[in-house]
PDB file of all heavy atoms in Angstrom:
ATOM      1  N   ALA R  15     -56.504 -43.890 -29.988  1.00 90.00           N
ATOM      2  CA  ALA R  15     -57.745 -43.608 -29.910  1.00 90.00           C
ATOM      3  C   ALA R  15     -58.393 -43.935 -28.613  1.00 90.00           C
ATOM      4  O   ALA R  15     -58.299 -45.148 -28.110  1.00 90.00           O
ATOM      5  CB  ALA R  15     -58.497 -44.285 -31.019  1.00 90.00           C
ATOM      6  N   HIS R  16     -59.192 -43.048 -27.983  1.00 87.00           N
ATOM      7  CA  HIS R  16     -59.910 -43.359 -26.741  1.00 87.00           C
ATOM      8  C   HIS R  16     -61.134 -44.127 -27.207  1.00 87.00           C
ATOM      9  O   HIS R  16     -61.881 -43.770 -28.202  1.00 87.00           O
ATOM     10  CB  HIS R  16     -60.236 -42.079 -25.971  1.00 87.00           C
ATOM     11  CG  HIS R  16     -59.127 -41.490 -25.245  1.00 87.00           C
ATOM     12  ND1 HIS R  16     -58.375 -40.493 -25.789  1.00 87.00           N
ATOM     13  CD2 HIS R  16     -58.511 -41.764 -24.098  1.00 87.00           C
ATOM     14  CE1 HIS R  16     -57.408 -40.276 -24.999  1.00 87.00           C
ATOM     15  NE2 HIS R  16     -57.511 -40.983 -23.979  1.00 87.00           N
ATOM     16  N   ILE R  17     -61.367 -45.157 -26.411  1.00 89.00           N
ATOM     17  CA  ILE R  17     -62.773 -45.919 -26.626  1.00 89.00           C
ATOM     18  C   ILE R  17     -63.875 -45.074 -26.232  1.00 89.00           C
ATOM     19  O   ILE R  17     -64.856 -44.982 -26.794  1.00 89.00           O
ATOM     20  CB  ILE R  17     -62.663 -47.282 -26.070  1.00 89.00           C
ATOM     21  CG1 ILE R  17     -61.503 -48.059 -26.602  1.00 89.00           C
ATOM     22  CG2 ILE R  17     -64.014 -47.981 -26.313  1.00 89.00           C
ATOM     23  CD1 ILE R  17     -61.140 -49.450 -25.829  1.00 89.00           C
ATOM     24  N   THR R  18     -63.766 -44.449 -25.140  1.00 80.00           N
ATOM     25  CA  THR R  18     -64.670 -43.501 -24.541  1.00 80.00           C
ATOM     26  C   THR R  18     -64.022 -42.239 -24.367  1.00 80.00           C
ATOM     27  O   THR R  18     -62.836 -42.188 -24.378  1.00 80.00           O
ATOM     28  CB  THR R  18     -65.303 -44.005 -23.077  1.00 80.00           C
ATOM     29  OG1 THR R  18     -64.181 -44.139 -22.237  1.00 80.00           O
ATOM     30  CG2 THR R  18     -66.023 -45.368 -23.245  1.00 80.00           C
ATOM     31  N   HIS R  30     -57.910 -48.382 -22.067  1.00 77.00           N
ATOM     32  CA  HIS R  30     -58.909 -47.397 -22.250  1.00 77.00           C
ATOM     33  C   HIS R  30     -58.816 -46.926 -23.695  1.00 77.00           C
ATOM     34  O   HIS R  30     -59.698 -46.137 -24.192  1.00 77.00           O
ATOM     35  CB  HIS R  30     -58.872 -46.161 -21.398  1.00 77.00           C
ATOM     36  CG  HIS R  30     -58.867 -46.469 -19.953  1.00 77.00           C
ATOM     37  ND1 HIS R  30     -60.148 -46.940 -19.405  1.00 77.00           N
ATOM     38  CD2 HIS R  30     -57.975 -46.508 -19.048  1.00 77.00           C
ATOM     39  CE1 HIS R  30     -59.985 -47.166 -18.133  1.00 77.00           C
ATOM     40  NE2 HIS R  30     -58.691 -46.984 -17.695  1.00 77.00           N
ATOM     41  N   GLY R  31     -57.944 -47.460 -24.520  1.00 85.00           N
ATOM     42  CA  GLY R  31     -57.897 -47.090 -25.909  1.00 85.00           C
ATOM     43  C   GLY R  31     -57.414 -48.165 -26.849  1.00 85.00           C
ATOM     44  O   GLY R  31     -57.253 -49.255 -26.472  1.00 85.00           O
ATOM     45  N   LEU R  32     -57.166 -47.736 -28.022  1.00 92.00           N
ATOM     46  CA  LEU R  32     -56.749 -48.543 -29.212  1.00 92.00           C
ATOM     47  C   LEU R  32     -55.701 -47.773 -29.948  1.00 92.00           C
ATOM     48  O   LEU R  32     -55.757 -46.616 -30.108  1.00 92.00           O
ATOM     49  CB  LEU R  32     -58.005 -48.826 -30.153  1.00 92.00           C
ATOM     50  CG  LEU R  32     -59.192 -49.626 -29.574  1.00 92.00           C
ATOM     51  CD1 LEU R  32     -60.338 -49.535 -30.478  1.00 92.00           C
ATOM     52  CD2 LEU R  32     -58.758 -51.082 -29.153  1.00 92.00           C
ATOM     53  N   LEU R  34     -54.661 -47.186 -33.636  1.00 93.00           N
ATOM     54  CA  LEU R  34     -55.315 -47.228 -34.785  1.00 93.00           C
ATOM     55  C   LEU R  34     -54.697 -46.389 -35.941  1.00 93.00           C
ATOM     56  O   LEU R  34     -54.127 -45.411 -35.640  1.00 93.00           O
ATOM     57  CB  LEU R  34     -56.821 -46.838 -34.881  1.00 93.00           C
ATOM     58  CG  LEU R  34     -57.769 -47.486 -33.717  1.00 93.00           C
ATOM     59  CD1 LEU R  34     -59.049 -46.945 -33.708  1.00 93.00           C
ATOM     60  CD2 LEU R  34     -57.854 -49.060 -34.097  1.00 93.00           C
ATOM     61  N   LYS R  35     -54.794 -46.884 -37.117  1.00 92.00           N
ATOM     62  CA  LYS R  35     -54.294 -45.969 -38.319  1.00 92.00           C
ATOM     63  C   LYS R  35     -55.193 -44.859 -38.381  1.00 92.00           C
ATOM     64  O   LYS R  35     -56.383 -44.874 -37.934  1.00 92.00           O
ATOM     65  CB  LYS R  35     -54.544 -46.767 -39.505  1.00 92.00           C
ATOM     66  CG  LYS R  35     -53.240 -46.855 -40.431  1.00 92.00           C
ATOM     67  CD  LYS R  35     -53.542 -47.789 -41.600  1.00 92.00           C
ATOM     68  CE  LYS R  35     -54.252 -47.020 -42.681  1.00 92.00           C
ATOM     69  NZ  LYS R  35     -54.913 -47.813 -43.601  1.00 92.00           N
ATOM     70  N   THR R  36     -54.786 -43.647 -38.805  1.00 92.00           N
ATOM     71  CA  THR R  36     -55.597 -42.443 -38.757  1.00 92.00           C
ATOM     72  C   THR R  36     -56.962 -42.504 -39.415  1.00 92.00           C
ATOM     73  O   THR R  36     -57.906 -42.170 -38.823  1.00 92.00           O
ATOM     74  CB  THR R  36     -54.743 -41.359 -39.430  1.00 92.00           C
ATOM     75  OG1 THR R  36     -54.369 -41.635 -40.768  1.00 92.00           O
ATOM     76  CG2 THR R  36     -53.565 -40.968 -38.577  1.00 92.00           C
ATOM     77  N   ASP R  37     -57.120 -43.259 -40.522  1.00 94.00           N
ATOM     78  CA  ASP R  37     -58.385 -43.260 -41.223  1.00 94.00           C
ATOM     79  C   ASP R  37     -59.290 -44.223 -40.483  1.00 94.00           C
ATOM     80  O   ASP R  37     -60.538 -44.062 -40.280  1.00 94.00           O
ATOM     81  CB  ASP R  37     -58.292 -43.737 -42.574  1.00 94.00           C
ATOM     82  CG  ASP R  37     -57.507 -45.109 -42.839  1.00 94.00           C
ATOM     83  OD1 ASP R  37     -56.690 -45.407 -41.960  1.00 94.00           O
ATOM     84  OD2 ASP R  37     -57.814 -45.781 -43.850  1.00 94.00           O
ATOM     85  N   ILE R  38     -58.762 -45.357 -39.891  1.00 95.00           N
ATOM     86  CA  ILE R  38     -59.542 -46.225 -39.002  1.00 95.00           C
ATOM     87  C   ILE R  38     -60.043 -45.599 -37.738  1.00 95.00           C
ATOM     88  O   ILE R  38     -61.152 -45.683 -37.281  1.00 95.00           O
ATOM     89  CB  ILE R  38     -58.684 -47.510 -38.662  1.00 95.00           C
ATOM     90  CG1 ILE R  38     -58.228 -48.202 -39.883  1.00 95.00           C
ATOM     91  CG2 ILE R  38     -59.460 -48.422 -37.749  1.00 95.00           C
ATOM     92  CD1 ILE R  38     -59.348 -48.751 -40.853  1.00 95.00           C
ATOM     93  N   HIS R  39     -59.121 -44.634 -37.126  1.00 94.00           N
ATOM     94  CA  HIS R  39     -59.530 -43.857 -36.001  1.00 94.00           C
ATOM     95  C   HIS R  39     -60.667 -43.045 -36.239  1.00 94.00           C
ATOM     96  O   HIS R  39     -61.649 -42.987 -35.460  1.00 94.00           O
ATOM     97  CB  HIS R  39     -58.230 -43.071 -35.525  1.00 94.00           C
ATOM     98  CG  HIS R  39     -58.401 -42.233 -34.299  1.00 94.00           C
ATOM     99  ND1 HIS R  39     -57.410 -41.483 -33.776  1.00 94.00           N
ATOM    100  CD2 HIS R  39     -59.652 -42.206 -33.499  1.00 94.00           C
ATOM    101  CE1 HIS R  39     -57.979 -40.832 -32.636  1.00 94.00           C
ATOM    102  NE2 HIS R  39     -59.178 -41.342 -32.464  1.00 94.00           N
ATOM    103  N   THR R  40     -60.700 -42.414 -37.387  1.00 95.00           N
ATOM    104  CA  THR R  40     -61.876 -41.596 -37.796  1.00 95.00           C
ATOM    105  C   THR R  40     -63.079 -42.358 -37.890  1.00 95.00           C
ATOM    106  O   THR R  40     -64.113 -41.928 -37.439  1.00 95.00           O
ATOM    107  CB  THR R  40     -61.489 -40.841 -39.163  1.00 95.00           C
ATOM    108  OG1 THR R  40     -60.455 -39.954 -38.900  1.00 95.00           O
ATOM    109  CG2 THR R  40     -62.731 -39.927 -39.567  1.00 95.00           C
ATOM    110  N   LEU R  41     -62.970 -43.580 -38.607  1.00 96.00           N
ATOM    111  CA  LEU R  41     -64.134 -44.354 -38.759  1.00 96.00           C
ATOM    112  C   LEU R  41     -64.698 -44.856 -37.398  1.00 96.00           C
ATOM    113  O   LEU R  41     -65.908 -44.922 -37.191  1.00 96.00           O
ATOM    114  CB  LEU R  41     -63.891 -45.479 -39.697  1.00 96.00           C
ATOM    115  CG  LEU R  41     -63.553 -45.194 -41.108  1.00 96.00           C
ATOM    116  CD1 LEU R  41     -63.133 -46.403 -41.903  1.00 96.00           C
ATOM    117  CD2 LEU R  41     -64.783 -44.630 -41.772  1.00 96.00           C
ATOM    118  N   PHE R  42     -63.881 -45.242 -36.473  1.00 94.00           N
ATOM    119  CA  PHE R  42     -64.113 -45.652 -35.130  1.00 94.00           C
ATOM    120  C   PHE R  42     -64.822 -44.478 -34.332  1.00 94.00           C
ATOM    121  O   PHE R  42     -65.913 -44.612 -33.696  1.00 94.00           O
ATOM    122  CB  PHE R  42     -62.953 -46.083 -34.465  1.00 94.00           C
ATOM    123  CG  PHE R  42     -63.262 -46.528 -33.085  1.00 94.00           C
ATOM    124  CD1 PHE R  42     -63.553 -47.873 -32.774  1.00 94.00           C
ATOM    125  CD2 PHE R  42     -62.926 -45.754 -31.884  1.00 94.00           C
ATOM    126  CE1 PHE R  42     -63.834 -48.384 -31.537  1.00 94.00           C
ATOM    127  CE2 PHE R  42     -63.128 -46.236 -30.583  1.00 94.00           C
ATOM    128  CZ  PHE R  42     -63.587 -47.444 -30.483  1.00 94.00           C
ATOM    129  N   ASP R  43     -64.355 -43.307 -34.412  1.00 92.00           N
ATOM    130  CA  ASP R  43     -64.843 -42.152 -33.668  1.00 92.00           C
ATOM    131  C   ASP R  43     -66.255 -41.801 -34.235  1.00 92.00           C
ATOM    132  O   ASP R  43     -67.059 -41.181 -33.608  1.00 92.00           O
ATOM    133  CB  ASP R  43     -63.959 -40.958 -33.858  1.00 92.00           C
ATOM    134  CG  ASP R  43     -62.790 -41.028 -32.764  1.00 92.00           C
ATOM    135  OD1 ASP R  43     -62.811 -41.899 -32.022  1.00 92.00           O
ATOM    136  OD2 ASP R  43     -61.895 -40.151 -32.887  1.00 92.00           O
ATOM    137  N   ARG R  44     -66.473 -42.072 -35.579  1.00 93.00           N
ATOM    138  CA  ARG R  44     -67.907 -41.813 -36.211  1.00 93.00           C
ATOM    139  C   ARG R  44     -68.866 -43.000 -36.032  1.00 93.00           C
ATOM    140  O   ARG R  44     -69.798 -42.990 -36.530  1.00 93.00           O
ATOM    141  CB  ARG R  44     -67.746 -41.397 -37.596  1.00 93.00           C
ATOM    142  CG  ARG R  44     -66.943 -40.031 -37.583  1.00 93.00           C
ATOM    143  CD  ARG R  44     -66.850 -39.585 -39.025  1.00 93.00           C
ATOM    144  NE  ARG R  44     -65.983 -38.257 -39.002  1.00 93.00           N
ATOM    145  CZ  ARG R  44     -65.740 -37.687 -40.168  1.00 93.00           C
ATOM    146  NH1 ARG R  44     -65.837 -38.155 -41.324  1.00 93.00           N
ATOM    147  NH2 ARG R  44     -65.060 -36.564 -39.978  1.00 93.00           N
ATOM    148  N   GLY R  45     -68.459 -44.081 -35.363  1.00 93.00           N
ATOM    149  CA  GLY R  45     -69.363 -45.098 -35.242  1.00 93.00           C
ATOM    150  C   GLY R  45     -69.439 -46.148 -36.417  1.00 93.00           C
ATOM    151  O   GLY R  45     -70.257 -46.917 -36.496  1.00 93.00           O
ATOM    152  N   LEU R  46     -68.651 -45.789 -37.509  1.00 95.00           N
ATOM    153  CA  LEU R  46     -68.763 -46.650 -38.633  1.00 95.00           C
ATOM    154  C   LEU R  46     -67.914 -47.983 -38.530  1.00 95.00           C
ATOM    155  O   LEU R  46     -68.084 -48.877 -39.508  1.00 95.00           O
ATOM    156  CB  LEU R  46     -68.318 -45.855 -39.869  1.00 95.00           C
ATOM    157  CG  LEU R  46     -69.043 -44.520 -40.212  1.00 95.00           C
ATOM    158  CD1 LEU R  46     -68.519 -43.725 -41.222  1.00 95.00           C
ATOM    159  CD2 LEU R  46     -70.508 -44.991 -40.581  1.00 95.00           C
ATOM    160  N   LEU R  47     -67.019 -48.065 -37.649  1.00 95.00           N
ATOM    161  CA  LEU R  47     -66.340 -49.310 -37.334  1.00 95.00           C
ATOM    162  C   LEU R  47     -66.220 -49.521 -35.866  1.00 95.00           C
ATOM    163  O   LEU R  47     -66.197 -48.352 -35.052  1.00 95.00           O
ATOM    164  CB  LEU R  47     -64.888 -48.865 -37.969  1.00 95.00           C
ATOM    165  CG  LEU R  47     -63.935 -50.043 -37.850  1.00 95.00           C
ATOM    166  CD1 LEU R  47     -63.014 -50.190 -39.017  1.00 95.00           C
ATOM    167  CD2 LEU R  47     -63.055 -49.879 -36.545  1.00 95.00           C
ATOM    168  N   TRP R  48     -66.391 -50.643 -35.446  1.00 96.00           N
ATOM    169  CA  TRP R  48     -66.373 -50.970 -34.037  1.00 96.00           C
ATOM    170  C   TRP R  48     -65.765 -52.150 -33.637  1.00 96.00           C
ATOM    171  O   TRP R  48     -65.459 -52.923 -34.579  1.00 96.00           O
ATOM    172  CB  TRP R  48     -67.665 -50.770 -33.361  1.00 96.00           C
ATOM    173  CG  TRP R  48     -68.741 -51.809 -33.954  1.00 96.00           C
ATOM    174  CD1 TRP R  48     -69.063 -53.020 -33.240  1.00 96.00           C
ATOM    175  CD2 TRP R  48     -69.499 -51.671 -34.991  1.00 96.00           C
ATOM    176  NE1 TRP R  48     -69.884 -53.635 -33.993  1.00 96.00           N
ATOM    177  CE2 TRP R  48     -70.180 -52.861 -35.091  1.00 96.00           C
ATOM    178  CE3 TRP R  48     -69.825 -50.615 -35.899  1.00 96.00           C
ATOM    179  CZ2 TRP R  48     -71.210 -53.120 -36.053  1.00 96.00           C
ATOM    180  CZ3 TRP R  48     -70.613 -50.912 -37.004  1.00 96.00           C
ATOM    181  CH2 TRP R  48     -71.391 -52.106 -37.072  1.00 96.00           C
ATOM    182  N   ILE R  49     -65.393 -52.369 -32.433  1.00 96.00           N
ATOM    183  CA  ILE R  49     -64.900 -53.777 -32.034  1.00 96.00           C
ATOM    184  C   ILE R  49     -65.965 -54.443 -31.137  1.00 96.00           C
ATOM    185  O   ILE R  49     -66.425 -53.852 -30.076  1.00 96.00           O
ATOM    186  CB  ILE R  49     -63.637 -53.629 -30.983  1.00 96.00           C
ATOM    187  CG1 ILE R  49     -62.647 -52.527 -31.794  1.00 96.00           C
ATOM    188  CG2 ILE R  49     -62.964 -54.807 -30.697  1.00 96.00           C
ATOM    189  CD1 ILE R  49     -62.206 -52.994 -33.118  1.00 96.00           C
ATOM    190  N   ASP R  50     -66.173 -55.736 -31.645  1.00 96.00           N
ATOM    191  CA  ASP R  50     -67.299 -56.338 -30.716  1.00 96.00           C
ATOM    192  C   ASP R  50     -66.676 -57.110 -29.451  1.00 96.00           C
ATOM    193  O   ASP R  50     -65.448 -56.833 -29.227  1.00 96.00           O
ATOM    194  CB  ASP R  50     -68.050 -57.458 -31.606  1.00 96.00           C
ATOM    195  CG  ASP R  50     -67.108 -58.595 -31.970  1.00 96.00           C
ATOM    196  OD1 ASP R  50     -66.148 -58.913 -31.433  1.00 96.00           O
ATOM    197  OD2 ASP R  50     -67.575 -59.253 -32.999  1.00 96.00           O
ATOM    198  N   ARG R  56     -65.657 -54.909 -36.593  1.00 97.00           N
ATOM    199  CA  ARG R  56     -66.976 -54.898 -37.312  1.00 97.00           C
ATOM    200  C   ARG R  56     -67.145 -53.686 -38.013  1.00 97.00           C
ATOM    201  O   ARG R  56     -66.586 -52.647 -37.621  1.00 97.00           O
ATOM    202  CB  ARG R  56     -68.203 -55.007 -36.403  1.00 97.00           C
ATOM    203  CG  ARG R  56     -67.929 -56.292 -35.460  1.00 97.00           C
ATOM    204  CD  ARG R  56     -67.954 -57.564 -36.042  1.00 97.00           C
ATOM    205  NE  ARG R  56     -69.020 -57.831 -36.958  1.00 97.00           N
ATOM    206  CZ  ARG R  56     -69.265 -58.831 -37.586  1.00 97.00           C
ATOM    207  NH1 ARG R  56     -68.316 -59.819 -37.561  1.00 97.00           N
ATOM    208  NH2 ARG R  56     -70.457 -58.979 -38.290  1.00 97.00           N
ATOM    209  N   LEU R  61     -69.944 -49.137 -45.061  1.00 96.00           N
ATOM    210  CA  LEU R  61     -68.459 -49.467 -45.515  1.00 96.00           C
ATOM    211  C   LEU R  61     -68.547 -50.692 -46.332  1.00 96.00           C
ATOM    212  O   LEU R  61     -67.344 -51.130 -46.917  1.00 96.00           O
ATOM    213  CB  LEU R  61     -67.630 -49.561 -44.240  1.00 96.00           C
ATOM    214  CG  LEU R  61     -67.466 -48.340 -43.603  1.00 96.00           C
ATOM    215  CD1 LEU R  61     -66.474 -48.481 -42.427  1.00 96.00           C
ATOM    216  CD2 LEU R  61     -66.922 -47.194 -44.468  1.00 96.00           C
ATOM    217  N   HIS R  88     -66.039 -50.839 -22.096  1.00 91.00           N
ATOM    218  CA  HIS R  88     -65.800 -49.611 -23.041  1.00 91.00           C
ATOM    219  C   HIS R  88     -66.293 -49.841 -24.398  1.00 91.00           C
ATOM    220  O   HIS R  88     -66.980 -49.083 -25.090  1.00 91.00           O
ATOM    221  CB  HIS R  88     -64.348 -49.094 -23.078  1.00 91.00           C
ATOM    222  CG  HIS R  88     -63.894 -48.422 -21.728  1.00 91.00           C
ATOM    223  ND1 HIS R  88     -64.704 -47.940 -20.766  1.00 91.00           N
ATOM    224  CD2 HIS R  88     -62.537 -48.166 -21.333  1.00 91.00           C
ATOM    225  CE1 HIS R  88     -63.977 -47.489 -19.741  1.00 91.00           C
ATOM    226  NE2 HIS R  88     -62.695 -47.522 -20.141  1.00 91.00           N
ATOM    227  N   LEU R  89     -65.928 -50.933 -24.879  1.00 94.00           N
ATOM    228  CA  LEU R  89     -66.395 -51.406 -26.251  1.00 94.00           C
ATOM    229  C   LEU R  89     -67.912 -51.514 -26.345  1.00 94.00           C
ATOM    230  O   LEU R  89     -68.473 -51.060 -27.404  1.00 94.00           O
ATOM    231  CB  LEU R  89     -65.629 -52.754 -26.760  1.00 94.00           C
ATOM    232  CG  LEU R  89     -64.227 -52.733 -26.762  1.00 94.00           C
ATOM    233  CD1 LEU R  89     -63.667 -54.152 -26.974  1.00 94.00           C
ATOM    234  CD2 LEU R  89     -63.562 -51.856 -27.755  1.00 94.00           C
ATOM    235  N   HIS R  92     -69.201 -47.882 -26.390  1.00 91.00           N
ATOM    236  CA  HIS R  92     -68.900 -47.251 -27.549  1.00 91.00           C
ATOM    237  C   HIS R  92     -70.056 -47.663 -28.587  1.00 91.00           C
ATOM    238  O   HIS R  92     -70.596 -46.765 -29.269  1.00 91.00           O
ATOM    239  CB  HIS R  92     -67.612 -47.627 -28.128  1.00 91.00           C
ATOM    240  CG  HIS R  92     -67.221 -47.007 -29.488  1.00 91.00           C
ATOM    241  ND1 HIS R  92     -67.325 -47.709 -30.594  1.00 91.00           N
ATOM    242  CD2 HIS R  92     -66.744 -45.777 -29.746  1.00 91.00           C
ATOM    243  CE1 HIS R  92     -67.090 -47.002 -31.579  1.00 91.00           C
ATOM    244  NE2 HIS R  92     -66.649 -45.829 -31.238  1.00 91.00           N
ATOM    245  N   ARG R  93     -70.312 -48.966 -28.701  1.00 92.00           N
ATOM    246  CA  ARG R  93     -71.266 -49.407 -29.741  1.00 92.00           C
ATOM    247  C   ARG R  93     -72.674 -48.944 -29.359  1.00 92.00           C
ATOM    248  O   ARG R  93     -73.541 -48.478 -30.181  1.00 92.00           O
ATOM    249  CB  ARG R  93     -71.229 -50.961 -29.735  1.00 92.00           C
ATOM    250  CG  ARG R  93     -72.156 -51.392 -30.816  1.00 92.00           C
ATOM    251  CD  ARG R  93     -71.786 -50.999 -32.257  1.00 92.00           C
ATOM    252  NE  ARG R  93     -72.689 -51.405 -33.277  1.00 92.00           N
ATOM    253  CZ  ARG R  93     -73.003 -50.689 -34.238  1.00 92.00           C
ATOM    254  NH1 ARG R  93     -72.543 -49.537 -34.521  1.00 92.00           N
ATOM    255  NH2 ARG R  93     -73.914 -51.135 -35.153  1.00 92.00           N
ATOM    256  N   TRP R  96     -73.441 -45.422 -30.302  1.00 88.00           N
ATOM    257  CA  TRP R  96     -73.627 -45.135 -31.797  1.00 88.00           C
ATOM    258  C   TRP R  96     -75.017 -45.768 -32.217  1.00 88.00           C
ATOM    259  O   TRP R  96     -75.630 -45.214 -33.088  1.00 88.00           O
ATOM    260  CB  TRP R  96     -72.391 -45.758 -32.626  1.00 88.00           C
ATOM    261  CG  TRP R  96     -71.360 -44.715 -32.500  1.00 88.00           C
ATOM    262  CD1 TRP R  96     -70.155 -44.769 -31.817  1.00 88.00           C
ATOM    263  CD2 TRP R  96     -71.297 -43.342 -33.009  1.00 88.00           C
ATOM    264  NE1 TRP R  96     -69.426 -43.766 -31.882  1.00 88.00           N
ATOM    265  CE2 TRP R  96     -70.005 -42.788 -32.556  1.00 88.00           C
ATOM    266  CE3 TRP R  96     -72.132 -42.637 -33.707  1.00 88.00           C
ATOM    267  CZ2 TRP R  96     -69.713 -41.473 -32.913  1.00 88.00           C
ATOM    268  CZ3 TRP R  96     -71.729 -41.375 -34.224  1.00 88.00           C
ATOM    269  CH2 TRP R  96     -70.596 -40.785 -33.710  1.00 88.00           C
TER     270      TRP R  96
END
Side-chain angles (χ1 to χ4, degrees):
H16 287 94
I17 301 170
T18 58
H30 299 293
L32 300 165
L34 302 174
K35 231 174 90 207
T36 54
D37 56 335
I38 303 297
H39 185 178
T40 299
L41 295 172
F42 181 79
D43 282 354
R44 294 183 179 172
L46 297 173
L47 179 145
W48 62 95
I49 311 302
D50 70 16
R56 307 304 299 184
L61 297 178
H88 287 347
L89 297 172
H92 176 266
R93 184 66 186 140
W96 286 106

